[in-house]
Amino acid sequence: IKLVAHGVNGFSADHEANRKVFAFAKRAGIRNLTADPSPDSFDSLEKLVAEYDVRIAIHNHGPGHRYDKLEQVIKAVKGKHALIGVCVDTGHVIRTKEDPVKWVRELGPRVFATHLKDDVKQDGGSQNVVIGKGHLDVVEMFKALKAVKFPADGDLSLEYEANPANPVEEMRQCLAVAKEAIAKVA
């Protein structure tokens, strides 16, 4: 088993608290820390990504969150160390009435992680569905990830949250859709 990501981690201006998360990641062999960093944490994070060679992937959390719109995420990473990037949670992007494919294409080499899920709602609520049955264009998403050269050691997580008591069948369907889309892109 190889761990490729951990999170979602909160980061603040407390450099020593942030350092503990990075030290843990390095010891565990984790390359990507998905994160919800406060705006005052970036001076600390810039130093730590360079020191530990561990990526920060800012995770968007949907409507009303500080990183819910593409323009906010672009502003957060602009001019920052190359290891400070993004985890595109496609379901949350959809709920903010934006296009996750556009996010990937515009953020390019800053996309270190993707939480692949789909939603039929485009508002504050959520109605998670099998990928491809809502607003997510799965084939175009994989085309975009390929075009931006998504890192081989990045975090691609398949998520399905609508049936927590027994999600196995829906996860199988999600995996089948993902495999089919990847085959079309390959």
Side-chain angles (χ1 to χ4, degrees):
I1 295 174
K2 180 170 174 65
L3 302 174
V4 295
H6 180 272
V8 173
N9 295 280
F11 290 103
S12 69
D14 186 339
H15 188 69
E16 290 312 308
N18 297 342
R19 177 182 296 283
K20 288 178 185 177
V21 179
F22 277 82
F24 157 74
K26 195 67 169 181
R27 282 191 313 272
I30 297 168
R31 183 79 169 107
N32 305 284
L33 291 171
T34 58
D36 179 15
S38 62
D40 64 357
S41 69
F42 286 103
D43 287 342
S44 170
L45 294 177
E46 293 224 64
K47 294 172 188 163
L48 292 168
V49 296
E51 178 182 344
Y52 286 92
D53 192 34
V54 170
R55 297 179 185 116
I56 286 293
I58 298 171
H59 185 278
N60 57 303
H61 275 112
H65 187 263
R66 66 177 144 221
Y67 304 114
D68 71 340
K69 297 289 188 186
L70 178 60
E71 66 189 52
Q72 294 164 320
V73 178
I74 289 171
K75 183 179 176 185
V77 301
K78 185 175 181 177
K80 303 288 190 296
H81 192 286
L83 295 177
I84 296 178
V86 182
C87 171
V88 178
D89 185 308
T90 61
H92 291 318
V93 172
I94 289 165
R95 292 187 316 105
T96 60
K97 297 181 183 170
E98 292 194 3
D99 178 7
V101 173
K102 180 179 178 184
W103 274 52
V104 170
R105 292 197 186 278
E106 290 202 23
L107 291 162
R110 297 266 187 182
V111 179
F112 305 141
T114 300
H115 291 174
L116 196 63
K117 65 185 174 204
D118 203 350
D119 211 292
V120 295
K121 289 194 169 194
Q122 290 186 297
D123 59 26
S126 177
Q127 189 175 342
N128 195 223
V129 293
V130 170
I131 60 172
K133 298 210 181 257
H135 292 278
L136 180 64
D137 186 329
V138 182
V139 172
E140 287 303 313
M141 186 67 182
F142 281 110
K143 282 182 183 177
L145 291 170
K146 183 177 182 179
V148 301
K149 297 182 175 132
F150 185 78
D153 61 352
D155 167 32
L156 178 61
S157 299
L158 188 59
E159 293 186 0
Y160 181 78
E161 300 169 343
N163 184 5
N166 188 12
V168 175
E169 181 51 38
E170 290 92 344
M171 285 301 296
R172 280 190 187 123
Q173 291 174 39
C174 288
L175 187 56
V177 171
K179 284 181 177 181
E180 184 179 316
I182 291 168
K184 288 178 180 177
V185 172

